[in-house]
Amino acid sequence: MTDREQAPWLALYDADLPQHLHLEHSSALDMFRAAVAAAPDSSLIHYLDTTLTVADVDRMSDALAVALVDKGFPRGGRLAVYMQNLPQYLIAMVAIWKTGGVMVSINPMYRHREVAYILEDSGASGLLCLQSLCEEVVSEVRKQRPVDLVVTTSELDFVQVPENFVILKDSKRRKCSETEDLLDLLDRYEGRRPDPVTATLDDVAFLTYTSGTTGPAKGAMNTHRNVVFTAQAYRDWIKLERDDVILGIAPLFHITGLIGHMALAILGPIPLVLAYRFEPNTMLEMIQRWRATFTIGAITAFTALMNAPTVDQWDISSMRKVYTGGQPVPAATVDRFEEKFGLYIRQAYGLTETTSPTHFVPLDRRSPADPTSGALSVGVPIFDTQAQVIDDEGNALPPWEVGEIVVSGPQVVPGYWQNPDETANAFRDGWFRTGDVGLVDADGWFYVVDRKKDQINASGYKVWPREVEDALYEHPAVREAAVVGVPDQYRGETVKAFVSLRPGMSATAEELKAHSRDRLATYKVPREIEFMDEIPKTASGKILRRELRRPSATR
């Protein structure tokens, strides 16, 4: 069989595919060393008003690596990073690799129980965290789960004039007992270099923990092979060059931020713009200040940018390539964004267990829509990647049949950290079972219908939340919508929608129900609609359906 017979989607991608395997024998640490050799003076991080070069990050990560080893951090050890989008994240990542260690990413929204669980499960012997999080969370966690070494840092570090940025208006330096200060360590170990280490392709680079919505969070073992492959996938598929600038809107603890921001920046090397945390007005300012050209993030982030109070004050004409992933994307939102900014949002698809992308919409194409549901395609499989849709018995389904999406390729992790049962359940016969329900059309475009666990069963009728959400998004007053199943004595479950409205616009529950009835079967129309100022989300921008299902969500 020819490549095109094996993978019909290749015909969709007109340009010659680059030599994407030229780093196939390199680790992520080798990737960074190559950047140092090729372009030491290139900008690698723009943080608010400060720039760090490749050489700066190399020097600082050397110092931190020596400090960690000097403080007893072992080869192969795990060091957790618990902070927002700061330069310190990338510095720590490289430093950990230079010790031969593994970085454990922790969501900065997590609190005592969640942080203690990840530290215990990963066996982390060290922790680098924000001073504020040390004061609020880590001090309590250490009473339950001792950590050998805690290093603290501040969002004010590396900023030249903090008072120029509203996002830092509540920031202050804090002291946390029995910890080391990062800037002190960098100063104390300045100029020292760690003993050289060699990372193999199968060594774990990151432990990234799943959200744990179906049970305790699981640590996906993202290897150096996984990281290098997916960084190249971003660069080559989206055709990123050295003159591009990455806007870091995805949280760095998330697999999108780890790969589509940090690893991609290292591979370029391409500058990465960071701004502490996502705040739409600040992000718009950063686009103008640093002339950002590319980003990838949750669709909710793009909704927030459109509705930012200062949106018309900033010039974002430098942006050329915009991608989103992580959750269903309403066509109405894509249309509004393009109308506002002249930018078409393309989709990507991937998971923590696939080290980010398995599918992209090609840069020269627009997503086709499923003629039945109107859902936009998440793209086609990237190079060296296979995907199919299977039934409950594991049989491959023909085009347009709905089933579970499964994937296989160099980006798929070998399993979950010290969890053989969950590994055996999710990784079977060379395929990773994503848990996403979808379909593939005759041309090889994939569509995600919803998560298996989110399906609503109303009087025996199956309802997928995203179909209802997409209908609601077509109403001009709807900014965000989330749909869940709630208990109903008569139907077993019924459809409930949570809606936030666009600034300056109004709509009633009855109006939105009538709007839905014009577009959906009667059993899919929300029986209840609750209005909220903000729909709860994860740090990566995904709607927290489990929060909405709780009785306390109803006011």
Side-chain angles (χ1 to χ4, degrees), residues 255-469:
I255 197 64
T256 301
L258 289 167
I259 304 299
H261 291 349
M262 291 199 295
L264 177 59
I266 288 172
L267 175 60
I270 302 170
L272 169 61
V273 178
L274 299 176
Y276 176 35
R277 56 181 173 79
F278 180 82
E279 193 284 315
N281 299 295
T282 303
M283 283 298 167
L284 291 165
E285 179 183 355
M286 291 299 102
I287 295 173
Q288 176 176 302
R289 177 189 285 261
W290 298 112
R291 308 306 294 162
T293 63
F294 160 75
T295 196
I296 180 168
I299 194 64
T300 51
F302 298 115
T303 299
L305 292 177
M306 279 192 291
N307 292 289
T310 65
V311 65
D312 294 323
Q313 298 177 21
W314 305 104
D315 174 14
I316 70 163
S317 59
S318 61
M319 293 296 293
R320 301 191 298 266
K321 305 163 185 177
V322 180
Y323 275 77
T324 188
Q327 66 186 94
V329 178
T333 301
V334 173
D335 293 341
R336 286 175 189 160
F337 194 86
E338 187 171 25
E339 182 180 327
K340 178 70 179 175
F341 298 120
L343 282 169
Y344 179 71
I345 302 174
R346 289 175 171 82
Q347 289 205 64
Y349 174 75
L351 301 97
T352 301
E353 293 91 339
T354 65
T355 322
S356 206
T358 59
H359 295 65
F360 275 130
V361 173
L363 195 60
D364 58 350
R365 303 296 173 109
R366 297 168 74 95
S367 291
D370 175 4
T372 302
S373 67
L376 294 176
S377 170
V378 297
V380 294
I382 62 174
F383 34 67
D384 298 347
T385 300
Q386 293 180 296
Q388 60 182 359
V389 178
I390 63 171
D391 62 18
D392 290 341
E393 284 70 47
N395 302 308
L397 292 170
W400 302 111
E401 291 291 323
V402 174
E404 183 177 5
I405 298 174
V406 297
V407 296
S408 177
Q411 67 274 70
V412 176
V413 302
Y416 298 116
W417 176 256
Q418 296 184 341
N419 198 332
D421 291 341
E422 290 289 354
T423 296
N425 182 55
F427 302 84
R428 298 186 227 167
D429 303 319
W431 296 92
F432 169 62
R433 301 200 171 206
T434 67
D436 284 328
V437 174
L439 57 90
V440 59
D441 68 19
D443 294 320
W445 291 89
F446 279 73
Y447 303 79
V448 176
V449 175
D450 234 317
R451 294 290 292 173
K452 270 186 169 182
K453 60 184 175 57
D454 290 329
Q455 186 187 66
I456 302 166
N457 189 340
S459 298
Y461 291 101
K462 303 298 189 291
V463 181
W464 293 107
R466 75 158 295 172
E467 186 177 3
V468 184
E469 290 164 358

Side-chain angles (χ1 to χ4, degrees), residues 25-143:
H25 301 300
S26 301
S27 69
L29 179 56
D30 294 330
M31 188 169 70
F32 177 76
R33 287 170 173 158
V36 174
D41 298 325
S42 292
S43 299
L44 187 58
I45 301 172
H46 297 307
Y47 175 55
L48 296 175
D49 61 358
T50 301
T51 296
L52 299 179
T53 66
V54 174
D56 290 332
V57 173
D58 186 38
R59 185 183 72 256
M60 293 179 190
S61 59
D62 272 350
L64 179 56
V66 175
L68 291 174
V69 172
D70 195 44
K71 301 293 179 183
F73 184 69
R75 175 75 185 268
R78 276 78 63 202
L79 191 138
V81 179
Y82 179 42
M83 69 175 73
Q84 306 277 6
N85 283 23
L86 300 172
Q88 297 93 305
Y89 218 124
L90 197 151
I91 293 167
M93 178 179 74
V94 176
I96 294 165
W97 290 344
K98 286 180 176 180
T99 69
V102 178
M103 184 172 76
V104 180
S105 299
I106 300 182
N107 182 340
M109 294 177 68
Y110 280 178
R111 288 301 178 257
H112 309 88
R113 180 179 298 181
E114 297 152 316
V115 173
Y117 170 80
I118 290 177
L119 293 176
E120 182 65 32
D121 187 75
S122 67
S125 57
L127 174 68
L128 172 60
C129 68
L130 275 178
Q131 292 173 353
S132 57
L133 291 174
C134 182
E135 182 182 63
E136 298 164 8
V137 180
V138 176
S139 295
E140 187 65 29
V141 169
R142 293 175 83 183
K143 297 176 185 177

Side-chain angles (χ1 to χ4, degrees), residues 479-498:
R479 177 167 69 103
E480 291 182 334
V483 170
V484 299
V486 294
D488 181 273
Q489 285 188 343
Y490 177 66
R491 300 173 184 84
E493 262 191 316
T494 193
V495 180
K496 179 172 182 177
F498 294 83

